Amino acid sequence: MDQVKQYGSILVGTLIIALAFNVLQSPNEIASGGLTGASLVLSSVFHVSSAIVLWGCTLLLLIICGYFLGLGTLFKSVFGSLLIPFFVDVTRGLAPLTHDPLLAAIYSGLGVGLGLVLVFRAGGNIGGFTLITQILHKKRAVKHSTSILFLDATVMIAGGLVFSPEKALYALLGAFVTRMTMEFIQGKSQGSKVAYIITSGEFEKQISQTILHELDRGLTRISGAGGYTNHERVIMVTVLSPTKVNPLKALVQAIDPLAFIILCEATEVVGEGFSRSFASAV
């Protein structure tokens, strides 16, 4: 039943993203990043349907993903990756909700943000640029956040050149609304989260590699022992943003269903990847 709910959530989330693209973003030429935004730009340049471009790019990325990242990562990405072009293709005949680019940017941002939350909460992903960031991280040690920022910025700039600079500004607004929507729904606070993952030694390497490569977070290992059994246990500590909490839980539980995950609020985190101290900033 849990798996039915998870796949149902991914289905609904990807459908919402596709609807936001077809009835708001595409008719108003708002390329707010991601593979859907790239397909909108490419379809205008080559005069091909966005759905066809999206299908071609998705299949190409899945093949590249299977080659560089292995079949395990490929299988995890296939479901969400193929749903987006499928729903974009199915719903492409729907009439636009508005021809006001400001309204389109705001409401498409809300729709995409809601759709992504539903997908991520179910432990899924929508492939696309996510696959590129995973490949760059594995082959060139490029941070996920850095590569996704660069890719999205490239799409928005390309949209500004192909359509108009004004449309690029609307796209930037849409991306901002998407981010704020995700943070609001997931209840993001100003601080970060500290996760304590208590597992057995046999799962340590797989969990640590997953956190390092799929969540792009570092971690610290602490040795411990069970108070009742006295069996050796591994405690891994990592600090991450609230938006990555649900993906962390899904990934860890998929590897070790018996793992304990304890989450705490971090009022302040100073160091690489987080805020710098006042002293170092002056």
Side-chain angles (χ1 to χ4, degrees):
M1 184 59 71
D2 286 341
Q3 284 192 338
V4 172
K5 289 182 179 178
Q6 288 177 344
Y7 283 110
S9 183
I10 295 173
L11 279 168
V12 173
T14 50
L15 176 59
I16 292 173
I17 294 170
L19 286 172
F21 176 77
N22 273 332
V23 302
L24 292 168
Q25 291 178 335
S26 181
N28 291 281
E29 299 177 332
I30 297 174
S32 294
L35 194 58
T36 52
S39 71
L40 184 60
V41 175
L42 291 173
S43 68
S44 178
V45 172
F46 296 106
H47 305 289
V48 181
S49 165
S50 295
I52 294 176
V53 175
L54 201 52
W55 271 117
C57 291
T58 298
L59 293 174
L60 177 61
L61 282 175
L62 286 174
I63 293 171
I64 295 173
C65 168
Y67 179 78
F68 285 105
L69 301 178
L71 294 179
T73 303
L74 174 63
F75 291 147
K76 290 179 183 178
S77 305
V78 164
F79 187 63
S81 296
L82 295 181
L83 281 177
I84 291 288
F86 172 75
F87 282 133
V88 167
D89 202 4
V90 168
T91 61
R92 62 179 172 173
L94 296 177
L97 287 182
T98 178
H99 289 288
D100 184 330
L102 178 59
L103 290 177
I106 294 173
Y107 285 102
S108 67
L110 288 169
V112 172
L114 174 60
L116 287 174
V117 168
L118 290 173
V119 172
F120 293 155
R121 278 187 174 177
N125 70 72
I126 58 171
F129 282 178
T130 304
L131 300 179
I132 299 177
T133 63
Q134 289 178 339
I135 294 171
L136 289 174
H137 183 77
K138 181 177 181 180
K139 297 299 180 181
R140 296 285 182 238
V142 180
K143 286 187 175 183
H144 292 276
S145 55
T146 301
S147 52
I148 202 70
L149 178 64
F150 174 78
L151 291 168
D152 283 344
T154 302
V155 170
M156 292 183 206
I157 292 171
L161 294 174
V162 172
F163 302 125
S164 71
E166 186 180 54
K167 294 294 177 67
L169 295 177
Y170 285 124
L172 182 60
L173 173 62
F176 176 76
V177 173
T178 294
R179 180 61 182 266
M180 296 305 296
T181 301
M182 293 178 67
E183 292 177 356
F184 176 78
I185 295 175
Q186 296 187 22
K188 179 178 179 182
S189 63
Q190 292 299 316
S192 299
K193 300 285 186 180
V194 180
Y196 297 88
I197 303 161
I198 304 171
T199 184
S200 57
E202 62 180 302
F203 300 111
E204 176 193 357
K205 183 176 181 181
Q206 192 176 355
I207 291 176
S208 63
Q209 290 298 311
T210 299
I211 293 172
L212 288 168
H213 296 298
E214 295 198 29
L215 295 180
D216 195 24
R217 299 311 319 158
L219 69 157
T220 301
R221 180 190 187 278
I222 304 172
S223 296
Y228 178 73
T229 63
N230 204 35
H231 291 163
E232 183 180 353
R233 302 286 281 172
V234 176
I235 305 170
M236 286 179 277
V237 184
T238 184
V239 180
L240 66 167
S241 66
T243 55
K244 292 188 177 182
V245 168
N246 286 318
L248 171 74
K249 291 190 289 187
L251 290 168
V252 171
Q253 289 171 348
I255 297 169
D256 180 9
L258 300 179
F260 283 96
I261 305 174
I262 304 170
L263 295 164
C264 306
E265 294 284 350
T267 55
E268 184 180 8
V269 182
V270 178
E272 184 178 356
F274 294 91
S275 61
R276 296 180 179 274
S277 65
F278 178 77
S280 63
V282 216

